[in-house]
Amino acid sequence: MSDGYLTVESAMTDGLRALGLDGVDIAAFRVYYDALVFENEHQNLTTITAEPEVASLHFLDSLAILPHIDRNPRPQLSTVNCQLSIVDIGSGAGFPGLPIAIARPDYAVTMLDAREKRVDFLRDTIKQLGITNATATHGRAEEYAAAARESFDIAVSRAVANLRELAELCLPLVKIGGTFLAMKSRGSDAEIAASSNAIATLGGAPAEIVDYTLPDGTPRRIVVVRKIAATPPQYPRRYKKIETQPL
Ligand code: SAM
């Protein structure tokens, strides 16, 4: 995607079209880009800063999971005004949660991160964007489950932990009938195989692997786990336990 593009606007115009998202507000991604590179001078948010690369590897990469969210059944969405609720675990500078919130005003997106400065950046950027369907929350996923257990239709996460640990951070937050989607690289076969006990223990169905390509041809993978049973109350455990004694 970066080849031949000079600006966020040009890369996003073609990338959004390729993803079937033509109606999305490209000006919002200029606001987001400017905020990101400005704040990146003060805290380490991203190593990728060139306009076309940010557009492709952050914005479009985040948006490319939308069809995989859309094709999953929506639990408990019985009224017209009820928004699909999504939690992005370890959102960092907002990926994938904030591009999703920009593109889909009909989704209510909560971005959770353990680092307060990153959450402050997200809150400021949400304000600058003037969107009302995104919230940034400071906290650790394993502790957030005490307040928000089984309350989201969808949990998403990119580049936070290996799948075995990530399942324990994410699945407790998902409603039965909801879905956990982990963005992973194509080289994640062994990691996925090693997570099957954790996923089953936490109430997930066996992981489905979906391989796809970004508009620029970059190979990507999403691991889709449907929540089919309640997560037993002893999970999630403290992070030290999750890390040292993974399920
Ligand atoms: N998802 C973003 C992305 O793909 O650009 C950020 C990835 S960054 C490598 C990982 C982020 O996860 C960090 O911002 C970190 O603070 C957050 N994180 C790690 N463990 C977490 C936990 N248990 N709960 C909440 N946030 C966590």
Side-chain angles (χ1 to χ4, degrees):
M1 178 56 53
S2 46
D3 291 347
Y5 294 107
L6 293 176
T7 62
V8 167
E9 286 79 2
S10 56
M12 291 302 289
T13 300
D14 286 356
L16 287 170
R17 188 173 306 130
L19 291 173
L21 294 166
D22 305 71
V24 168
D25 177 16
I26 290 176
F29 287 96
R30 163 57 58 189
V31 172
Y32 189 3
Y33 174 82
D34 287 348
L36 180 71
V37 293
F38 178 80
E39 184 60 20
N40 210 37
E41 301 281 317
H42 306 285
Q43 58 169 313
N44 180 20
L45 292 174
T46 176
T47 53
I48 299 163
T49 53
E51 296 202 13
E53 275 82 16
V54 170
S56 179
L57 299 173
H58 285 325
F59 298 158
L60 294 168
D61 188 39
S62 297
L63 293 172
I65 72 167
L66 273 174
H68 309 287
I69 291 176
D70 288 337
R71 80 185 170 85
N72 281 287
R74 300 166 184 210
Q76 298 173 30
L77 274 186
S78 49
T79 61
V80 181
N81 293 329
C82 191
Q83 288 180 302
L84 189 88
S85 59
I86 300 183
V87 64
D88 177 12
I89 296 300
S91 196
F95 306 115
L98 197 45
I100 290 172
I102 291 169
R104 295 298 299 256
D106 54 327
Y107 288 177
V109 180
T110 299
M111 291 170 280
L112 181 78
D113 203 278
R115 292 208 202 169
E116 195 161 18
K117 272 184 87 177
R118 292 185 173 178
V119 174
D120 288 343
F121 162 74
L122 290 173
R123 287 181 179 147
D124 285 349
T125 308
I126 290 167
K127 241 185 238 159
Q128 282 187 52
L129 288 164
I131 57 174
T132 55
N133 63 322
T135 314
T137 300
H138 174 229
R140 297 198 60 89
E142 66 276 19
E143 292 165 6
Y144 187 56
R149 192 174 192 82
E150 292 180 347
S151 60
F152 292 94
D153 299 308
I154 304 277
V156 294
S157 193
R158 185 183 87 160
V160 171
N162 75 61
L163 192 58
R164 210 167 158 187
E165 294 172 20
L166 192 63
E168 193 165 342
L169 301 180
C170 293
L171 273 170
L173 297 168
V174 178
K175 294 174 187 172
I176 297 171
T179 309
F180 157 46
L181 301 103
M183 297 172 73
K184 290 286 169 188
S185 72
R186 287 281 177 96
S188 55
D189 288 353
E191 179 186 341
I192 295 166
S195 69
S196 59
N197 180 60
I199 288 171
T201 303
L202 296 160
E208 183 196 345
I209 298 171
V210 181
D211 288 339
Y212 57 98
T213 51
L214 294 183
D216 67 351
T218 305
R220 297 291 284 132
R221 166 173 289 178
I222 198 155
V223 181
V224 181
V225 177
R226 189 75 46 77
K227 176 115 173 221
I228 52 172
T231 300
Q234 64 268 38
Y235 305 112
R237 299 164 295 165
R238 287 167 179 267
Y239 192 69
K240 199 162 180 118
K241 266 254 163 85
I242 298 175
E243 207 182 16
T244 55
Q245 296 170 37
L247 291 169

